Amino acid sequence: MLVSDIEPNKVTIVSVLPACARLAALQQGKEIHQFIVRKGFDMHIAIWNGLIDMYGRCGLIKKVGRVFDLIPERDIVSWNTMIAGYGMHGFGMDAVNLFLCLRSSELKPNQFTFTNLLAACSHSGLIDEGWKYFEMMKSEYAMGPAIEQYAWMVDLLARAGQFDESLEFIKEMPFEPNAAVWGSLLGACRIHCNPELAEYAAGYLFELEPTYSGNYILLANIYSAAGRWGDAARIRILMKDRGVTKPPGCTWIEVKRSVHSFIVGDTSHSLVDEISAKMNSLYSEIKEIGYVPDTKYVLQNLEEDEKEDSLCGHSEKLAIAFGLISTPNGTPLRIIKNLRVCGDCHEATKFIYKLTDREIIMRDCYRFHHFVGVCSCGDYW
């Protein structure tokens, strides 16, 4: 548009900011923000909200707060987006405190407010707060909780290992449980390695979403982690028989205005030799300071040394290695993955931070992880 001498307007800006948010393309997002300021746009509330969402999804939660504070007149979308941002980054109590500020304003929370608030409670394991605000919907705001709020409550309870309470809660729901409800239960079974309950939840999911690969892969992963290789193989055969295909795990990193993508075992990048050398060096050094490879995240029944080699080729690690050789010391690394981050990669990244003193901000399909020694998720994802 700019090259063609066509002047962007407010609609252009509101349309392009979400593209930066989805890709976590921070540099481009910053340039668009500068363009907005330089052109002196009359800042419509939708532009403010777009900036909040963009910076939040690019991992700059402090910047989000500064933008939020600058909004001259917030609407409910502003508050909801800010609460969602705190939740995604694992700052559950900040989300709760912001909700308390909203309650003292002239605006009234809506269904999206409570969905985002309960999600924030779930991401941070705030069980008491989750129950409090779930009940508040009905008692103070006369809102009947929707299926989305029920799903987040199941997620909250199950991730805390309260499986009996979760099942009882599901039975008492006024709705037929949907895929989000059963998916929450299945995801929690991964955390607590509960293959029996995972089978139960997956049975419903295979009926509700017969072509969605994520449910099959998650159940197979739970079987593999429990050493039930035969059952894991059976699920993969079931996928093949039903024509279900798994999208490859892919990780992106933005360096010098370009987005570089990696898949597991990737050898297509022009710097493949340098990346491989850096990864091998990192692997040896982090093992010396306490990292122990968690080979249960290798989904094939291989020899132990082959499993370790397989872990080295995970897309998250390749993106981090590339970032380390392609950016100046001290520069934070921001990466994004299309699937849930691997547990071994999550643990290895903590040690890579200790070794390199580089802040690493990782966004997966579920939430953000800020690695500064420990992870902001508290190993709760």
Side-chain angles (χ1 to χ4, degrees):
M1 285 181 73
L2 295 174
V3 169
S4 303
D5 291 326
I6 298 173
E7 189 72 11
N9 60 14
K10 294 174 188 175
V11 177
T12 315
I13 300 302
V14 171
S15 300
V16 75
L17 284 172
C20 297
R22 288 181 66 85
L23 272 177
L26 177 61
Q27 187 57 43
Q28 284 88 339
K30 284 182 173 179
E31 290 175 6
I32 292 166
H33 190 179
Q34 291 164 1
F35 176 86
I36 293 167
V37 174
R38 194 165 62 248
K39 292 294 182 179
F41 269 129
D42 178 18
M43 289 289 278
H44 189 276
I45 188 61
I47 294 178
W48 284 111
N49 294 341
L51 287 170
I52 292 173
D53 183 57
M54 184 274 292
Y55 280 119
R57 291 180 182 274
C58 288
L60 270 69
I61 194 63
K62 291 182 180 178
K63 178 72 171 180
V64 174
R66 291 197 291 271
V67 173
F68 181 80
D69 290 340
L70 289 172
I71 300 177
E73 190 172 345
R74 305 175 188 115
D75 63 7
I76 192 61
V77 176
S78 311
W79 291 91
N80 290 350
T81 307
M82 191 72 216
I83 290 170
Y86 278 138
M88 281 193 304
H89 286 265
F91 302 121
M93 284 310 302
D94 291 285
V96 167
N97 291 333
L98 190 66
F99 175 74
L100 297 177
C101 293
L102 170 60
R103 273 167 56 82
S104 64
S105 75
E106 296 179 355
L107 294 172
K108 182 180 178 181
N110 60 18
Q111 287 278 352
F112 295 107
T113 312
F114 282 101
T115 298
N116 294 343
L117 182 61
L118 292 175
C121 291
S122 177
H123 284 313
S124 298
L126 303 176
I127 297 176
D128 291 341
E129 289 81 0
W131 274 118
K132 175 181 176 180
Y133 297 119
F134 182 77
E135 294 299 330
M136 181 183 289
M137 290 185 68
K138 299 177 283 186
S139 62
E140 292 192 31
Y141 293 99
M143 290 183 195
I147 191 69
E148 291 82 8
Q149 284 97 34
Y150 277 95
W152 279 114
M153 284 302 297
V154 172
D155 195 75
L156 173 62
L157 294 171
R159 285 181 182 280
Q162 297 184 9
F163 289 122
D164 291 340
E165 293 85 345
S166 301
L167 291 170
E168 189 63 30
F169 185 79
I170 291 171
K171 289 177 185 177
E172 294 177 357
M173 285 172 48
F175 312 100
E176 280 294 315
N178 67 0
V181 172
W182 293 117
S184 295
L185 193 61
L186 180 62
C189 291
R190 174 193 65 86
I191 297 171
H192 298 282
C193 197
N194 189 331
E196 290 76 21
L197 187 56
E199 288 174 338
Y200 177 71
Y204 287 99
L205 287 166
F206 292 165
E207 292 293 324
L208 292 167
E209 299 177 322
T211 61
Y212 177 56
S213 65
N215 299 325
Y216 296 87
I217 296 300
L218 191 50
L219 181 58
N221 290 356
I222 292 168
Y223 281 141
S224 298
R228 292 170 57 172
W229 300 107
D231 287 323
R234 176 174 56 81
I235 296 301
R236 292 192 177 83
I237 292 170
L238 180 62
M239 289 179 67
K240 185 176 181 181
D241 292 343
R242 294 185 177 182
V244 178
T245 56
K246 173 187 177 294
C250 186
T251 303
W252 295 267
I253 181 170
E254 182 190 9
V255 174
K256 297 177 182 176
R257 294 175 52 82
S258 294
V259 176
H260 300 256
S261 61
F262 298 88
I263 59 173
V264 63
D266 204 335
T267 58
S268 63
H269 198 279
S270 59
L271 296 179
V272 59
D273 291 337
E274 292 90 334
I275 293 169
S276 179
K278 184 64 175 178
M279 191 61 247
N280 289 335
S281 170
L282 282 174
Y283 198 66
S284 298
E285 292 178 76
I286 62 176
K287 286 176 78 173
E288 289 179 4
I289 61 173
Y291 162 70
V292 178
D294 195 342
T295 55
K296 74 169 180 282
Y297 291 98
V298 178
L299 307 180
Q300 295 82 31
N301 193 7
L302 305 173
E303 296 297 327
E304 201 64 22
D305 57 342
E306 294 176 306
K307 289 182 179 180
E308 288 196 28
D309 289 342
S310 175
L311 289 173
C312 270
H314 280 198
S315 62
E316 300 98 313
K317 295 189 181 82
L318 296 177
I320 290 172
F322 170 72
L324 289 172
I325 65 174
S326 304
T327 58
N329 288 336
T331 305
L333 302 183
R334 306 177 191 279
I335 68 174
I336 177 173
K337 187 178 180 183
N338 64 332
L339 305 176
R340 195 183 298 267
V341 62
C342 154
D344 177 75
C345 290
H346 188 273
E347 189 65 18
T349 305
K350 295 181 196 173
F351 285 93
I352 292 173
Y353 166 80
K354 291 178 184 177
L355 184 69
T356 63
D357 199 30
R358 290 277 204 111
E359 180 182 4
I360 301 170
I361 302 161
M362 184 183 300
R363 188 182 100 193
D364 67 11
C365 67
Y366 192 68
R367 63 173 300 156
F368 271 90
H369 305 265
H370 293 251
F371 295 93
V372 281
V374 296
C375 179
S376 62
C377 75
D379 297 341
Y380 190 87
W381 87 99

